[in-house]
PDB file of all heavy atoms in Angstrom:
ATOM      1  N   PHE A  30     -13.017-109.303-101.241  1.00 90.00           N
ATOM      2  CA  PHE A  30     -14.182-108.547-100.949  1.00 90.00           C
ATOM      3  C   PHE A  30     -15.112-108.532-102.172  1.00 90.00           C
ATOM      4  O   PHE A  30     -14.630-108.317-103.301  1.00 90.00           O
ATOM      5  CB  PHE A  30     -13.872-107.158-100.524  1.00 90.00           C
ATOM      6  CG  PHE A  30     -13.227-107.007 -99.203  1.00 90.00           C
ATOM      7  CD1 PHE A  30     -12.277-106.028 -98.976  1.00 90.00           C
ATOM      8  CD2 PHE A  30     -13.572-107.825 -98.153  1.00 90.00           C
ATOM      9  CE1 PHE A  30     -11.690-105.850 -97.741  1.00 90.00           C
ATOM     10  CE2 PHE A  30     -12.991-107.705 -96.896  1.00 90.00           C
ATOM     11  CZ  PHE A  30     -12.065-106.703 -96.726  1.00 90.00           C
ATOM     12  N   ASP A  31     -16.445-108.747-101.964  1.00 89.00           N
ATOM     13  CA  ASP A  31     -17.336-108.763-103.101  1.00 89.00           C
ATOM     14  C   ASP A  31     -18.648-108.028-102.803  1.00 89.00           C
ATOM     15  O   ASP A  31     -19.603-108.234-103.545  1.00 89.00           O
ATOM     16  CB  ASP A  31     -17.601-110.202-103.579  1.00 89.00           C
ATOM     17  CG  ASP A  31     -18.252-111.031-102.512  1.00 89.00           C
ATOM     18  OD1 ASP A  31     -18.559-110.525-101.420  1.00 89.00           O
ATOM     19  OD2 ASP A  31     -18.513-112.213-102.814  1.00 89.00           O
ATOM     20  N   TYR A  32     -18.666-107.247-101.745  1.00 89.00           N
ATOM     21  CA  TYR A  32     -19.891-106.484-101.480  1.00 89.00           C
ATOM     22  C   TYR A  32     -19.487-105.202-100.805  1.00 89.00           C
ATOM     23  O   TYR A  32     -18.694-105.227 -99.841  1.00 89.00           O
ATOM     24  CB  TYR A  32     -20.807-107.304-100.546  1.00 89.00           C
ATOM     25  CG  TYR A  32     -22.113-106.633-100.200  1.00 89.00           C
ATOM     26  CD1 TYR A  32     -23.159-106.552-101.143  1.00 89.00           C
ATOM     27  CD2 TYR A  32     -22.333-106.087 -98.940  1.00 89.00           C
ATOM     28  CE1 TYR A  32     -24.308-105.949-100.836  1.00 89.00           C
ATOM     29  CE2 TYR A  32     -23.512-105.461 -98.634  1.00 89.00           C
ATOM     30  CZ  TYR A  32     -24.497-105.372 -99.585  1.00 89.00           C
ATOM     31  OH  TYR A  32     -25.702-104.756 -99.287  1.00 89.00           O
ATOM     32  N   PHE A  33     -19.937-104.073-101.346  1.00 93.00           N
ATOM     33  CA  PHE A  33     -19.442-102.757-100.916  1.00 93.00           C
ATOM     34  C   PHE A  33     -20.666-101.835-100.623  1.00 93.00           C
ATOM     35  O   PHE A  33     -21.149-101.202-101.540  1.00 93.00           O
ATOM     36  CB  PHE A  33     -18.549-102.162-101.988  1.00 93.00           C
ATOM     37  CG  PHE A  33     -17.410-103.043-102.365  1.00 93.00           C
ATOM     38  CD1 PHE A  33     -17.463-103.987-103.376  1.00 93.00           C
ATOM     39  CD2 PHE A  33     -16.144-102.942-101.671  1.00 93.00           C
ATOM     40  CE1 PHE A  33     -16.389-104.826-103.677  1.00 93.00           C
ATOM     41  CE2 PHE A  33     -15.132-103.759-101.983  1.00 93.00           C
ATOM     42  CZ  PHE A  33     -15.203-104.687-102.979  1.00 93.00           C
ATOM     43  N   PRO A  34     -21.032-101.757 -99.386  1.00 93.00           N
ATOM     44  CA  PRO A  34     -22.170-100.882 -99.018  1.00 93.00           C
ATOM     45  C   PRO A  34     -21.676 -99.505 -98.530  1.00 93.00           C
ATOM     46  O   PRO A  34     -20.554 -99.382 -98.055  1.00 93.00           O
ATOM     47  CB  PRO A  34     -22.831-101.645 -97.848  1.00 93.00           C
ATOM     48  CG  PRO A  34     -21.696-102.395 -97.230  1.00 93.00           C
ATOM     49  CD  PRO A  34     -20.679-102.674 -98.280  1.00 93.00           C
ATOM     50  N   TRP A  35     -22.504 -98.563 -98.618  1.00 96.00           N
ATOM     51  CA  TRP A  35     -22.382 -97.270 -98.032  1.00 96.00           C
ATOM     52  C   TRP A  35     -23.418 -97.019 -96.985  1.00 96.00           C
ATOM     53  O   TRP A  35     -24.600 -97.256 -97.236  1.00 96.00           O
ATOM     54  CB  TRP A  35     -22.405 -96.139 -99.109  1.00 96.00           C
ATOM     55  CG  TRP A  35     -21.141 -96.061 -99.924  1.00 96.00           C
ATOM     56  CD1 TRP A  35     -20.912 -96.704-101.110  1.00 96.00           C
ATOM     57  CD2 TRP A  35     -20.039 -95.240 -99.671  1.00 96.00           C
ATOM     58  NE1 TRP A  35     -19.689 -96.354-101.598  1.00 96.00           N
ATOM     59  CE2 TRP A  35     -19.123 -95.453-100.733  1.00 96.00           C
ATOM     60  CE3 TRP A  35     -19.656 -94.303 -98.650  1.00 96.00           C
ATOM     61  CZ2 TRP A  35     -17.841 -94.827-100.797  1.00 96.00           C
ATOM     62  CZ3 TRP A  35     -18.437 -93.720 -98.745  1.00 96.00           C
ATOM     63  CH2 TRP A  35     -17.542 -93.954 -99.785  1.00 96.00           C
ATOM     64  N   TYR A  36     -22.985 -96.498 -95.849  1.00 96.00           N
ATOM     65  CA  TYR A  36     -23.923 -96.206 -94.763  1.00 96.00           C
ATOM     66  C   TYR A  36     -23.891 -94.735 -94.411  1.00 96.00           C
ATOM     67  O   TYR A  36     -22.835 -94.078 -94.502  1.00 96.00           O
ATOM     68  CB  TYR A  36     -23.601 -97.078 -93.508  1.00 96.00           C
ATOM     69  CG  TYR A  36     -24.114 -98.471 -93.586  1.00 96.00           C
ATOM     70  CD1 TYR A  36     -23.424 -99.435 -94.289  1.00 96.00           C
ATOM     71  CD2 TYR A  36     -25.279 -98.818 -92.998  1.00 96.00           C
ATOM     72  CE1 TYR A  36     -23.909-100.798 -94.368  1.00 96.00           C
ATOM     73  CE2 TYR A  36     -25.788-100.109 -93.060  1.00 96.00           C
ATOM     74  CZ  TYR A  36     -25.079-101.046 -93.748  1.00 96.00           C
ATOM     75  OH  TYR A  36     -25.563-102.328 -93.826  1.00 96.00           O
ATOM     76  N   GLN A  37     -25.045 -94.221 -93.959  1.00 97.00           N
ATOM     77  CA  GLN A  37     -25.186 -92.860 -93.540  1.00 97.00           C
ATOM     78  C   GLN A  37     -25.565 -92.891 -92.090  1.00 97.00           C
ATOM     79  O   GLN A  37     -26.445 -93.632 -91.642  1.00 97.00           O
ATOM     80  CB  GLN A  37     -26.311 -92.217 -94.338  1.00 97.00           C
ATOM     81  CG  GLN A  37     -26.698 -90.762 -93.977  1.00 97.00           C
ATOM     82  CD  GLN A  37     -28.004 -90.310 -94.675  1.00 97.00           C
ATOM     83  OE1 GLN A  37     -28.999 -90.908 -94.551  1.00 97.00           O
ATOM     84  NE2 GLN A  37     -27.876 -89.256 -95.453  1.00 97.00           N
ATOM     85  N   GLN A  38     -24.881 -92.039 -91.263  1.00 97.00           N
ATOM     86  CA  GLN A  38     -25.151 -92.046 -89.839  1.00 97.00           C
ATOM     87  C   GLN A  38     -25.351 -90.596 -89.375  1.00 97.00           C
ATOM     88  O   GLN A  38     -24.484 -89.761 -89.525  1.00 97.00           O
ATOM     89  CB  GLN A  38     -23.995 -92.723 -89.081  1.00 97.00           C
ATOM     90  CG  GLN A  38     -24.305 -92.909 -87.584  1.00 97.00           C
ATOM     91  CD  GLN A  38     -23.237 -93.675 -86.837  1.00 97.00           C
ATOM     92  OE1 GLN A  38     -22.033 -93.636 -87.225  1.00 97.00           O
ATOM     93  NE2 GLN A  38     -23.587 -94.399 -85.823  1.00 97.00           N
ATOM     94  N   PHE A  39     -26.498 -90.407 -88.698  1.00 96.00           N
ATOM     95  CA  PHE A  39     -26.780 -89.153 -88.044  1.00 96.00           C
ATOM     96  C   PHE A  39     -26.433 -89.246 -86.583  1.00 96.00           C
ATOM     97  O   PHE A  39     -26.432 -90.364 -86.051  1.00 96.00           O
ATOM     98  CB  PHE A  39     -28.260 -88.753 -88.179  1.00 96.00           C
ATOM     99  CG  PHE A  39     -28.646 -88.434 -89.618  1.00 96.00           C
ATOM    100  CD1 PHE A  39     -29.376 -89.360 -90.388  1.00 96.00           C
ATOM    101  CD2 PHE A  39     -28.292 -87.248 -90.250  1.00 96.00           C
ATOM    102  CE1 PHE A  39     -29.715 -89.116 -91.691  1.00 96.00           C
ATOM    103  CE2 PHE A  39     -28.653 -86.941 -91.536  1.00 96.00           C
ATOM    104  CZ  PHE A  39     -29.347 -87.885 -92.250  1.00 96.00           C
ATOM    105  N   PRO A  40     -26.099 -88.128 -85.907  1.00 94.00           N
ATOM    106  CA  PRO A  40     -25.687 -88.221 -84.532  1.00 94.00           C
ATOM    107  C   PRO A  40     -26.789 -88.916 -83.636  1.00 94.00           C
ATOM    108  O   PRO A  40     -27.965 -88.663 -83.768  1.00 94.00           O
ATOM    109  CB  PRO A  40     -25.560 -86.747 -84.119  1.00 94.00           C
ATOM    110  CG  PRO A  40     -25.268 -86.035 -85.416  1.00 94.00           C
ATOM    111  CD  PRO A  40     -25.977 -86.805 -86.452  1.00 94.00           C
ATOM    112  N   GLY A  41     -26.313 -89.830 -82.802  1.00 91.00           N
ATOM    113  CA  GLY A  41     -27.179 -90.544 -81.924  1.00 91.00           C
ATOM    114  C   GLY A  41     -28.017 -91.683 -82.572  1.00 91.00           C
ATOM    115  O   GLY A  41     -28.817 -92.290 -81.884  1.00 91.00           O
ATOM    116  N   LYS A  42     -27.699 -91.965 -83.867  1.00 94.00           N
ATOM    117  CA  LYS A  42     -28.439 -92.958 -84.549  1.00 94.00           C
ATOM    118  C   LYS A  42     -27.458 -94.032 -85.037  1.00 94.00           C
ATOM    119  O   LYS A  42     -26.258 -93.791 -85.149  1.00 94.00           O
ATOM    120  CB  LYS A  42     -29.199 -92.437 -85.761  1.00 94.00           C
ATOM    121  CG  LYS A  42     -30.199 -91.383 -85.427  1.00 94.00           C
ATOM    122  CD  LYS A  42     -31.363 -91.964 -84.640  1.00 94.00           C
ATOM    123  CE  LYS A  42     -32.489 -90.902 -84.428  1.00 94.00           C
ATOM    124  NZ  LYS A  42     -33.588 -91.485 -83.621  1.00 94.00           N
ATOM    125  N   GLY A  43     -27.985 -95.215 -85.371  1.00 95.00           N
ATOM    126  CA  GLY A  43     -27.151 -96.258 -85.925  1.00 95.00           C
ATOM    127  C   GLY A  43     -27.029 -95.966 -87.460  1.00 95.00           C
ATOM    128  O   GLY A  43     -27.768 -95.228 -88.030  1.00 95.00           O
ATOM    129  N   PRO A  44     -25.949 -96.543 -88.073  1.00 96.00           N
ATOM    130  CA  PRO A  44     -25.796 -96.377 -89.509  1.00 96.00           C
ATOM    131  C   PRO A  44     -26.976 -96.970 -90.251  1.00 96.00           C
ATOM    132  O   PRO A  44     -27.523 -98.011 -89.905  1.00 96.00           O
ATOM    133  CB  PRO A  44     -24.537 -97.184 -89.772  1.00 96.00           C
ATOM    134  CG  PRO A  44     -23.820 -97.331 -88.460  1.00 96.00           C
ATOM    135  CD  PRO A  44     -24.923 -97.401 -87.431  1.00 96.00           C
ATOM    136  N   ALA A  45     -27.316 -96.261 -91.366  1.00 95.00           N
ATOM    137  CA  ALA A  45     -28.437 -96.732 -92.225  1.00 95.00           C
ATOM    138  C   ALA A  45     -27.899 -96.981 -93.594  1.00 95.00           C
ATOM    139  O   ALA A  45     -27.150 -96.165 -94.139  1.00 95.00           O
ATOM    140  CB  ALA A  45     -29.556 -95.689 -92.248  1.00 95.00           C
ATOM    141  N   LEU A  46     -28.264 -98.106 -94.176  1.00 93.00           N
ATOM    142  CA  LEU A  46     -27.784 -98.457 -95.497  1.00 93.00           C
ATOM    143  C   LEU A  46     -28.318 -97.523 -96.592  1.00 93.00           C
ATOM    144  O   LEU A  46     -29.550 -97.260 -96.630  1.00 93.00           O
ATOM    145  CB  LEU A  46     -28.253 -99.899 -95.834  1.00 93.00           C
ATOM    146  CG  LEU A  46     -27.857-100.407 -97.235  1.00 93.00           C
ATOM    147  CD1 LEU A  46     -26.371-100.571 -97.322  1.00 93.00           C
ATOM    148  CD2 LEU A  46     -28.555-101.733 -97.533  1.00 93.00           C
ATOM    149  N   LEU A  47     -27.394 -96.962 -97.364  1.00 94.00           N
ATOM    150  CA  LEU A  47     -27.759 -96.028 -98.406  1.00 94.00           C
ATOM    151  C   LEU A  47     -27.866 -96.738 -99.762  1.00 94.00           C
ATOM    152  O   LEU A  47     -28.863 -96.687-100.474  1.00 94.00           O
ATOM    153  CB  LEU A  47     -26.712 -94.917 -98.559  1.00 94.00           C
ATOM    154  CG  LEU A  47     -26.892 -93.596 -97.909  1.00 94.00           C
ATOM    155  CD1 LEU A  47     -25.652 -92.749 -98.233  1.00 94.00           C
ATOM    156  CD2 LEU A  47     -28.174 -92.956 -98.366  1.00 94.00           C
ATOM    157  N   ILE A  48     -26.828 -97.366-100.128  1.00 94.00           N
ATOM    158  CA  ILE A  48     -26.654 -97.965-101.416  1.00 94.00           C
ATOM    159  C   ILE A  48     -25.536 -98.951-101.381  1.00 94.00           C
ATOM    160  O   ILE A  48     -24.611 -98.775-100.543  1.00 94.00           O
ATOM    161  CB  ILE A  48     -26.401 -96.911-102.490  1.00 94.00           C
ATOM    162  CG1 ILE A  48     -26.416 -97.442-103.917  1.00 94.00           C
ATOM    163  CG2 ILE A  48     -25.156 -96.075-102.222  1.00 94.00           C
ATOM    164  CD1 ILE A  48     -26.366 -96.387-105.013  1.00 94.00           C
ATOM    165  N   ALA A  49     -25.538-100.023-102.165  1.00 92.00           N
ATOM    166  CA  ALA A  49     -24.508-101.012-102.168  1.00 92.00           C
ATOM    167  C   ALA A  49     -24.220-101.466-103.633  1.00 92.00           C
ATOM    168  O   ALA A  49     -25.098-101.413-104.417  1.00 92.00           O
ATOM    169  CB  ALA A  49     -24.841-102.189-101.247  1.00 92.00           C
ATOM    170  N   ILE A  50     -23.002-102.033-103.777  1.00 93.00           N
ATOM    171  CA  ILE A  50     -22.613-102.451-105.103  1.00 93.00           C
ATOM    172  C   ILE A  50     -21.820-103.776-105.000  1.00 93.00           C
ATOM    173  O   ILE A  50     -21.143-104.028-104.002  1.00 93.00           O
ATOM    174  CB  ILE A  50     -21.843-101.421-105.870  1.00 93.00           C
ATOM    175  CG1 ILE A  50     -21.836-101.653-107.371  1.00 93.00           C
ATOM    176  CG2 ILE A  50     -20.420-101.257-105.327  1.00 93.00           C
ATOM    177  CD1 ILE A  50     -21.281-100.468-108.227  1.00 93.00           C
ATOM    178  N   ARG A  51     -21.951-104.597-106.040  1.00 90.00           N
ATOM    179  CA  ARG A  51     -21.087-105.770-106.160  1.00 90.00           C
ATOM    180  C   ARG A  51     -20.110-105.538-107.327  1.00 90.00           C
ATOM    181  O   ARG A  51     -20.410-104.775-108.181  1.00 90.00           O
ATOM    182  CB  ARG A  51     -21.936-107.000-106.369  1.00 90.00           C
ATOM    183  CG  ARG A  51     -22.840-107.320-105.146  1.00 90.00           C
ATOM    184  CD  ARG A  51     -23.468-108.657-105.268  1.00 90.00           C
ATOM    185  NE  ARG A  51     -24.462-108.854-104.179  1.00 90.00           N
ATOM    186  CZ  ARG A  51     -24.137-109.359-102.974  1.00 90.00           C
ATOM    187  NH1 ARG A  51     -22.884-109.645-102.699  1.00 90.00           N
ATOM    188  NH2 ARG A  51     -25.049-109.515-102.089  1.00 90.00           N
ATOM    189  N   PRO A  52     -18.999-106.295-107.338  1.00 89.00           N
ATOM    190  CA  PRO A  52     -18.000-105.972-108.322  1.00 89.00           C
ATOM    191  C   PRO A  52     -18.308-106.303-109.802  1.00 89.00           C
ATOM    192  O   PRO A  52     -17.517-105.939-110.672  1.00 89.00           O
ATOM    193  CB  PRO A  52     -16.797-106.851-107.894  1.00 89.00           C
ATOM    194  CG  PRO A  52     -17.108-107.343-106.578  1.00 89.00           C
ATOM    195  CD  PRO A  52     -18.563-107.343-106.406  1.00 89.00           C
ATOM    196  N   ASP A  53     -19.463-106.836-110.056  1.00 90.00           N
ATOM    197  CA  ASP A  53     -19.790-107.216-111.416  1.00 90.00           C
ATOM    198  C   ASP A  53     -20.307-106.019-112.216  1.00 90.00           C
ATOM    199  O   ASP A  53     -20.569-106.099-113.401  1.00 90.00           O
ATOM    200  CB  ASP A  53     -20.764-108.375-111.500  1.00 90.00           C
ATOM    201  CG  ASP A  53     -21.960-108.163-110.630  1.00 90.00           C
ATOM    202  OD1 ASP A  53     -21.961-107.238-109.770  1.00 90.00           O
ATOM    203  OD2 ASP A  53     -22.959-108.900-110.819  1.00 90.00           O
ATOM    204  N   VAL A  54     -20.576-104.876-111.515  1.00 92.00           N
ATOM    205  CA  VAL A  54     -20.986-103.646-112.188  1.00 92.00           C
ATOM    206  C   VAL A  54     -20.010-102.500-111.836  1.00 92.00           C
ATOM    207  O   VAL A  54     -19.420-102.521-110.765  1.00 92.00           O
ATOM    208  CB  VAL A  54     -22.441-103.251-111.882  1.00 92.00           C
ATOM    209  CG1 VAL A  54     -23.414-104.300-112.345  1.00 92.00           C
ATOM    210  CG2 VAL A  54     -22.587-103.010-110.376  1.00 92.00           C
ATOM    211  N   SER A  55     -19.924-101.524-112.705  1.00 95.00           N
ATOM    212  CA  SER A  55     -19.015-100.391-112.464  1.00 95.00           C
ATOM    213  C   SER A  55     -19.711 -99.165-111.872  1.00 95.00           C
ATOM    214  O   SER A  55     -19.039 -98.293-111.371  1.00 95.00           O
ATOM    215  CB  SER A  55     -18.300-100.011-113.743  1.00 95.00           C
ATOM    216  OG  SER A  55     -19.273 -99.603-114.723  1.00 95.00           O
ATOM    217  N   GLU A  56     -21.069 -99.165-111.928  1.00 96.00           N
ATOM    218  CA  GLU A  56     -21.751 -98.074-111.411  1.00 96.00           C
ATOM    219  C   GLU A  56     -23.179 -98.475-111.027  1.00 96.00           C
ATOM    220  O   GLU A  56     -23.757 -99.327-111.657  1.00 96.00           O
ATOM    221  CB  GLU A  56     -21.872 -96.923-112.428  1.00 96.00           C
ATOM    222  CG  GLU A  56     -22.433 -95.599-111.958  1.00 96.00           C
ATOM    223  CD  GLU A  56     -22.392 -94.527-112.958  1.00 96.00           C
ATOM    224  OE1 GLU A  56     -21.320 -93.925-113.139  1.00 96.00           O
ATOM    225  OE2 GLU A  56     -23.450 -94.265-113.613  1.00 96.00           O
TER     226      GLU A  56
END
Side-chain angles (χ1 to χ4, degrees):
Chain A
F30 289 147
D31 62 0
Y32 182 74
F33 303 90
W35 283 89
Y36 279 82
Q37 178 190 56
Q38 187 175 31
F39 293 104
K42 300 292 186 183
L46 179 66
L47 261 182
I48 186 172
I50 197 168
R51 296 189 185 275
D53 52 344
V54 297
S55 61
E56 187 175 281

